[in-house]
Amino acid sequence: MNVHQHDPHDEHDHGSELSDMQLRVRALETILTEKGYVDPKALDFIIDAYETKIGPHIGARVVAKAWADPDFKRRLIADATTAIGELGLPARSTHLIAVENTPRLHNMVVCTLCSCYPWDVLGLPPVWYKSAPYRSRTVMDPRGVLADFGVSLPPDTEIRVWDSTAETRYLVVPMRPAGADDWSEEQLASLVTRDCMIGTGLARAPGAAS
Amino acid sequence: MNGVHDMGGMHGFGKVEREPGEPVFHASWEGRVLAMNRAMGYLGLWSIDTGRFSRETLPPHVYLSSSYYKKWTLGLENLCVQFGLVGDDELAAGRALHPPRPVKRTLAAADAPKLLSRGSFDRPAPAPAKFKPGDRVRTRNINPPSHTRLPRYARGHSGVVEWVRGCHVFPDAVVNGEGENPHWLYTVVFDGRELWGAAADPTVKVSIEAWEPYLELA
């Protein structure tokens, strides 16, 4: 009585481990559903929310607003949970902390112990964020990690790494690129990449915006 | 526990590999297992840190060779068995063989939107905060075999309290079955050279979030 539809897309997954996992997870869902512990429709809702509603576009909107509205930025840095609460976003944030990059300071976020990440504003983390290379190296060699992302900072820029060891979550407010002075918030949001809100990237230059 | 999950400062894992155009899920089972973890967490039988501990206690070779969502699958299976919700025989058979264990609540589809907003881990303080911003502190050298959120690389080191974040549920206690036992939580910042030695990049600072029992005045 597995109620969710078999997804033909899965047949295209590579390798036997994924097929094994498909069977294994389907078996677990069957058991949990038959025993009444989970409602597959609730699962569908959660999956859809993270696939279509909650993602880095939310954080980009927050950063663009901070760039465009100095008063909002002050409130965001002082108390991000409250400041973001004003925006009516789909997921309420809790224990959220915004940290601002400046010409002298670059912030990076990691979770060395697991994969803590600000889901409310960035959605689910990419595979690299959860990977052993990122988790092991960022606290010890952040410039080396930045090089993997093609980012090179001036040698005297201070780098601050935030290891997310508690339920506090960090959002990096990147520097606003030059050349977008008269841009609207919506236009500015197009310059804000997911990586620049984790600290492994910089905001796009206006000419490079996609 | 001093497990392989505690990765800060380890060598040998190679470069960070990005995936252009990465999808949210790489196969539909990943979404199912993520959602099942959230829905089963809603039963209220275990905390977020009990879930973390279920993955940390996977055998090291399994932890290191499993994808992220495979770890979530194995951890959830273990929790379901540990809490008497599912039998090993049921996992082997792939279907229910026994009546369910009574539970206080389950996640109905109508309640699922609530799960998108995180709960608060802030609790009333049982005592005033011992430290204040600017205090120089030393992290304790602890090596508990159970769950802790003090990473190995940051143990026994001197740093500065930068922020007091409130009084938060203490993961070490929760996972040991000692209740929430809330403690003050601080952002403690370390100089990179304090953590990694004199040859380390002098422009680097690293902070952790440390509960009061992890700290003593330096």
Side-chain angles (χ1 to χ4, degrees), chain A residues 95-204:
Chain A
H95 311 310
L96 186 70
I97 296 158
V99 291
E100 185 184 7
N101 286 350
T102 69
R104 289 206 302 253
L105 172 69
H106 182 85
N107 294 284
M108 292 175 75
V109 181
V110 65
C111 174
T112 60
L113 295 173
C114 48
S115 53
C116 297
Y117 188 75
W119 289 19
D120 326 314
V121 284
L122 297 186
L124 298 176
V127 167
W128 63 256
Y129 184 86
K130 304 174 285 193
S131 72
Y134 187 73
R135 287 166 53 189
S136 62
R137 287 174 53 212
T138 303
V139 286
M140 193 185 200
D141 180 23
R143 285 183 193 271
V145 170
L146 287 172
D148 289 352
F149 285 82
V151 174
S152 171
L153 298 174
D156 58 344
T157 300
E158 181 184 324
I159 300 186
R160 170 61 179 276
V161 179
W162 303 82
D163 191 357
S164 310
T165 57
E167 296 308 327
T168 40
R169 294 290 175 270
Y170 286 91
L171 176 72
V172 175
V173 179
M175 283 194 286
R176 178 175 177 159
D181 292 351
D182 54 351
W183 286 33
S184 68
E185 273 183 41
E186 197 174 61
Q187 290 172 306
L188 288 170
S190 72
L191 304 176
V192 185
T193 63
R194 176 193 63 205
D195 291 3
C196 77
M197 294 182 281
I198 304 171
T200 54
L202 307 175
R204 287 189 184 103

Side-chain angles (χ1 to χ4, degrees), chain A residues 4 7 9-10 13 17-19 21-22 24-32 34-47 49-51 54 77-78 90-97 111-117 119-120 124-143 145 147-150 155-170 194-195, chain B residues 4-11 13-19 22 24-29 31-36 38-40 43 48-49 52 56 63 65 67-70 72-74 76-77 80 84-87 90-91 94-96 98-101 103 106-109 112-113 115-122 148-151 153 162-163 165 168 185 187 189 196 201 203-211:
Chain A
H4 72 273
D7 181 350
H9 175 74
D10 297 332
D13 291 335
E17 175 171 290
L18 288 181
S19 303
M21 288 309 299
Q22 186 73 34
R24 186 168 187 155
V25 170
R26 191 168 295 168
L28 183 60
E29 183 174 345
T30 299
I31 298 164
L32 298 181
E34 286 179 351
K35 300 188 90 162
Y37 300 136
V38 302
D39 174 353
K41 289 199 175 60
L43 305 185
D44 294 342
F45 178 89
I46 293 167
I47 293 164
Y50 287 107
E51 281 192 322
I54 301 178
I77 300 298
R92 189 191 64 237
S93 291
T94 310
H95 311 310
L96 186 70
I97 296 158
C111 174
T112 60
L113 295 173
C114 48
S115 53
C116 297
Y117 188 75
W119 289 19
D120 326 314
L124 298 176
V127 167
W128 63 256
Y129 184 86
K130 304 174 285 193
S131 72
Y134 187 73
R135 287 166 53 189
S136 62
R137 287 174 53 212
T138 303
V139 286
M140 193 185 200
D141 180 23
R143 285 183 193 271
V145 170
D148 289 352
F149 285 82
D156 58 344
T157 300
E158 181 184 324
I159 300 186
R160 170 61 179 276
V161 179
W162 303 82
D163 191 357
S164 310
T165 57
E167 296 308 327
T168 40
R169 294 290 175 270
Y170 286 91
R194 176 193 63 205
D195 291 3
Chain B
V4 292
H5 69 282
D6 184 356
M7 292 182 157
M10 291 175 81
H11 287 128
F13 288 115
K15 282 189 139 191
V16 181
E17 301 285 351
R18 285 181 292 166
E19 180 186 345
E22 180 175 343
V24 175
F25 300 112
H26 289 77
S28 62
W29 67 266
R32 301 313 289 179
V33 82
L34 169 97
M36 277 193 274
R38 302 302 308 277
M40 292 303 286
L43 267 51
I48 188 167
D49 277 287
R52 290 185 180 119
E56 293 165 5
Y63 187 97
S65 60
S67 70
Y68 177 75
Y69 286 114
K70 183 172 181 182
W72 278 50
T73 307
L74 302 178
L76 180 59
E77 287 177 355
C80 286
L85 299 168
V86 172
E90 293 176 307
L91 290 176
R95 60 194 171 86
H98 312 291
R101 172 188 158 174
V103 290
T106 58
L107 183 69
L115 268 198
L116 301 184
S117 294
R118 295 179 74 222
S120 174
F121 292 80
D122 209 353
T148 185
R149 298 293 289 179
L150 179 60
Y153 76 85
E162 191 178 53
W163 297 91
R165 298 297 187 188
H168 281 221
L185 180 69
T187 300
V189 60
W196 310 114
D201 184 341
T203 64
V204 172
K205 287 189 164 56
V206 178
S207 62
I208 62 167
E209 311 288 276
W211 281 264

Side-chain angles (χ1 to χ4, degrees), chain B residues 173-189:
Chain B
V174 171
V175 178
N176 281 341
E178 296 160 5
E180 294 192 335
N181 192 15
H183 281 286
W184 287 97
L185 180 69
Y186 305 90
T187 300
V188 177
V189 60

